[in-house]
Amino acid sequence: MKKAVIFGVGLIGGSFARSLKKAGVFETVVGMGRSQASMQRALELGIIDVIGGDVQQALAGADLVLLAAPVAQTEAILAAIAPHLQPGTVVTDAGSTKSDVVAAARSALAGKVAQFVPGHPIAGRETNGPEAAIDDLYVGKKVVLTALAENSAADVERVAAAWRACGAIIHRLSPEEHDKVFAAVSHLPHLLAYALVDDIARKPHADLLFQYAASGFRDFTRIAGSSPEMWRDISLANQAALLTELDAYMAQLAALRGRLAAGDGAGLEHVYGNAQRARHQWITAIETAEAPQLADKAD
Amino acid sequence: MKKAVIFGVGLIGGSFARSLKKAGVFETVVGMGRSQASMQRALELGIIDVIGGDVQQALAGADLVLLAAPVAQTEAILAAIAPHLQPGTVVTDAGSTKSDVVAAARSALAGKVAQFVPGHPIAGRETNGPEAAIDDLYVGKKVVLTALAENSAADVERVAAAWRACGAIIHRLSPEEHDKVFAAVSHLPHLLAYALVDDIARKPHADLLFQYAASGFRDFTRIAGSSPEMWRDISLANQAALLTELDAYMAQLAALRGRLAAGDGAGLEHVYGNAQRARHQWITAIETAEAPQLADKAD
């Protein structure tokens, strides 16, 4: 492949570019973005070869386009791309939600939607910008592709191959499955962590409380350090699935509250014990899979 | 001081013994416990000098007694100590809740309760047993003393001095203040983490969900790896304060759910942003206080 075009050269897009460069997959990487300062910095850092200006010119002869700008811009970028999208180009994205991205793509790309293969690399961090981009961010990480019925097998494989060249492991889910899964294991925990820290911060004796918060609280609330704008967008983009998970969790809390109020120690221990066992099995499984030599390490 | 007696020589009691030995505070440390194997191991590891058998003999001439056995045993141990407690001995504990411990002490020690100074070292880990004990566990950590009106200033100071010799920083709260603070920043987060993992583990597609859980989920649920028995006891011991915090949190979730269902992006961002700012301020404050050279390190 000769030419990749990347919209947004921060942590996600920049690391994709660096990884592909290291693997020697593309001859030219063109960076596109709203911030000229970020583009200039990405060029200086060697993340991209060219700063793209005109969309038509940037897309000419492109093999692959990655959308890694904030998800709220997805539809506008796709609409800008649509008129200039040539048959030989495949487009993918890196958004944390997929049903909404698919809807945006169907609307913006219309008859060219078959050229769009939605994706989600599971490799977030709390850093951003071109400086945060590294060439091994995706090594051993999962990338979920939520291919459309319209996609050709060859286009899906071209996107998969690019991610594999970055060291990632390809998984396949439908957009709806994807959004349900991540509502449970990512979007809900973020909402819960934000809710707890805000709850404590608004109490009159918040300073006293924070004074005694220790390492358990720190880990529990680490994800509440994430970008509020990004998580607002994700919450709204995955509203239905997130509401379903939140309702299930609130029902779980109501049941636990009943056990606590009734002094039902056995009932509390049953839930706590089930959770501890499940988490231990999960940790053991990922440590065995990802780093066999660390399997005995305490978490 | 000459002689310390420690009930329970696991992480907390064993580390207290090791730290005091390193500081040269006591001539003799006597270990007491239900498991002869643990006592023998503690002796072999040099954590204690003597395995105590008879309570009367163990307490004879003791300057300080620390209760570091599981909290459910507190009242029984205090009742066993009471008849043999001499005027020159001060007793303290390491329990995670304080109002219930104070009630147990008043009941078990009766007229000798003035000799009991309740305490709580904020230095938990997910390891236990004599092997987990280290001589610097308490360096820079907080120890909260919740002194009783009956305590003499000299007795409180004797307990404070022992913890200071371990490198700890002494804080003072009333038992009620202590239990309210830790309900918010420790007990509630544990309950929430257990609730989430149990909720996910009981879903029919739990395996699929755990497969895509990543580092954010791992940190958020780390405290759900703690001992279910210990947290059952803490939940019940601090029932009233924990119910108050849980109710406030459930009201917070209900409000957030309303904003999510209404598509109120500004409302969600307000809560998320307030949480992110509060957490950032807290992290900055503790990093500045605890390790000035790390103040610029990303969390």
Side-chain angles (χ1 to χ4, degrees), chain A residues 122 126 142 144 171 173 181-182 184-185 188-189 191-203 208-229 231-232 235-236 239 242-243 245-250 252-254 256-257 260-261 263 265 268-269 271-276 278-279 282-283 286-287 299, chain B residues 122 126 142 144 171 173 181-182 184-185 188-189 191-203 208-229 231-232 235-236 239 242-243 245-250 252-254 256-257 260-261 263 265 268-269 271-276 278-279 282-283 286-287 299:
Chain A
I122 317 302
E126 285 151 318
K142 296 182 180 74
V144 181
H171 286 242
L173 293 171
V181 166
F182 287 91
V185 301
L188 178 64
L191 184 147
L192 299 179
Y194 281 129
L196 182 72
V197 180
D198 177 67
D199 183 37
I200 288 178
R202 284 187 298 102
K203 289 181 197 279
L208 181 71
L209 296 176
F210 281 120
Q211 193 183 341
Y212 292 103
S215 63
F217 184 86
R218 184 175 174 139
D219 284 354
F220 185 80
T221 61
R222 184 175 66 77
I223 50 183
S226 310
S227 157
E229 298 78 13
W231 284 94
R232 172 201 64 197
S235 300
L236 293 177
Q239 186 194 41
L242 182 52
L243 279 172
E245 294 303 326
L246 179 54
D247 286 346
Y249 186 74
M250 288 171 76
Q252 163 86 330
L253 282 191
L256 259 185
R257 191 205 183 281
L260 179 61
L268 293 176
E269 190 181 349
V271 172
Y272 295 0
N274 188 43
Q276 189 212 32
R279 189 177 188 282
W282 170 62
I283 292 288
I286 55 174
E287 286 186 343
D299 177 49
Chain B
I122 317 303
E126 285 150 318
K142 296 183 180 73
V144 181
H171 286 241
L173 294 171
V181 165
F182 287 91
V185 300
L188 178 64
L191 185 147
L192 299 179
Y194 281 128
L196 182 72
V197 180
D198 176 67
D199 183 36
I200 288 177
R202 286 187 297 101
K203 288 180 197 279
L208 181 71
L209 296 175
F210 281 121
Q211 193 183 342
Y212 293 102
S215 63
F217 184 85
R218 185 178 175 136
D219 283 354
F220 185 80
T221 61
R222 183 175 68 75
I223 50 182
S226 310
S227 159
E229 299 78 15
W231 284 93
R232 171 201 64 195
S235 300
L236 294 177
Q239 186 193 42
L242 181 52
L243 279 172
E245 293 303 327
L246 179 55
D247 286 345
Y249 185 73
M250 290 171 75
Q252 163 85 330
L253 283 191
L256 260 184
R257 191 204 183 280
L260 179 60
L268 292 176
E269 189 181 350
V271 172
Y272 295 180
N274 189 43
Q276 189 212 32
R279 189 176 188 283
W282 171 62
I283 292 288
I286 55 174
E287 286 184 344
D299 179 50

Side-chain angles (χ1 to χ4, degrees), chain B residues 2-282:
Chain B
K2 285 187 161 180
K3 183 178 177 182
V5 181
I6 299 181
F7 284 80
V9 289
L11 172 71
I12 297 297
S15 294
F16 183 75
R18 278 200 184 280
S19 306
L20 290 175
K21 275 185 164 291
K22 191 182 177 190
V25 176
F26 291 98
E27 287 173 17
T28 310
V29 173
V30 179
M32 300 284 285
R34 295 193 300 189
S35 157
Q36 273 305 309
S38 286
M39 289 296 119
Q40 195 58 45
R41 193 78 191 103
L43 191 68
E44 287 163 14
L45 290 167
I47 296 173
I48 57 174
D49 302 302
V50 181
I51 300 178
D54 177 66
V55 175
Q56 180 170 12
Q57 203 179 340
L59 284 183
D63 298 286
L64 187 137
V65 176
L66 173 74
L67 272 58
V71 183
Q73 297 173 32
T74 301
E75 187 157 0
I77 295 172
L78 289 172
I81 286 173
H84 312 295
L85 191 57
Q86 298 166 358
T89 307
V90 62
V91 183
T92 187
D93 80 312
S96 299
T97 53
K98 295 273 69 82
S99 301
D100 66 315
V101 165
V102 170
R106 288 195 190 287
S107 164
L109 297 177
K112 293 179 176 172
V113 77
Q115 290 170 253
F116 180 69
V117 180
H120 176 200
I122 317 303
R125 295 207 174 179
E126 285 150 318
T127 52
N128 216 327
E131 281 82 3
I134 51 177
D135 65 13
D136 59 355
L137 180 66
Y138 302 112
V139 174
K141 297 300 193 314
K142 296 183 180 73
V143 170
V144 181
L145 298 183
T146 65
L148 307 177
E150 295 92 331
N151 292 148
S152 73
D155 278 355
V156 175
E157 177 52 28
R158 214 194 304 177
V159 173
W163 282 115
R164 272 191 223 107
C166 300
I169 301 150
I170 303 298
H171 286 241
R172 303 279 213 108
L173 294 171
S174 74
E176 296 72 28
E177 281 172 336
H178 171 280
D179 288 357
K180 282 184 191 176
V181 165
F182 287 91
V185 300
S186 172
H187 309 169
L188 178 64
H190 277 80
L191 185 147
L192 299 179
Y194 281 128
L196 182 72
V197 180
D198 176 67
D199 183 36
I200 288 177
R202 286 187 297 101
K203 288 180 197 279
H205 56 309
D207 287 350
L208 181 71
L209 296 175
F210 281 121
Q211 193 183 342
Y212 293 102
S215 63
F217 184 85
R218 185 178 175 136
D219 283 354
F220 185 80
T221 61
R222 183 175 68 75
I223 50 182
S226 310
S227 159
E229 299 78 15
M230 176 176 159
W231 284 93
R232 171 201 64 195
D233 291 344
I234 290 172
S235 300
L236 294 177
N238 202 18
Q239 186 193 42
L242 181 52
L243 279 172
T244 301
E245 293 303 327
L246 179 55
D247 286 345
Y249 185 73
M250 290 171 75
Q252 163 85 330
L253 283 191
L256 260 184
R257 191 204 183 280
R259 289 175 176 192
L260 179 60
D264 176 8
L268 292 176
E269 189 181 350
H270 179 76
V271 172
Y272 295 180
N274 189 43
Q276 189 212 32
R277 268 191 309 282
R279 189 176 188 283
H280 181 72
Q281 283 169 10
W282 171 62

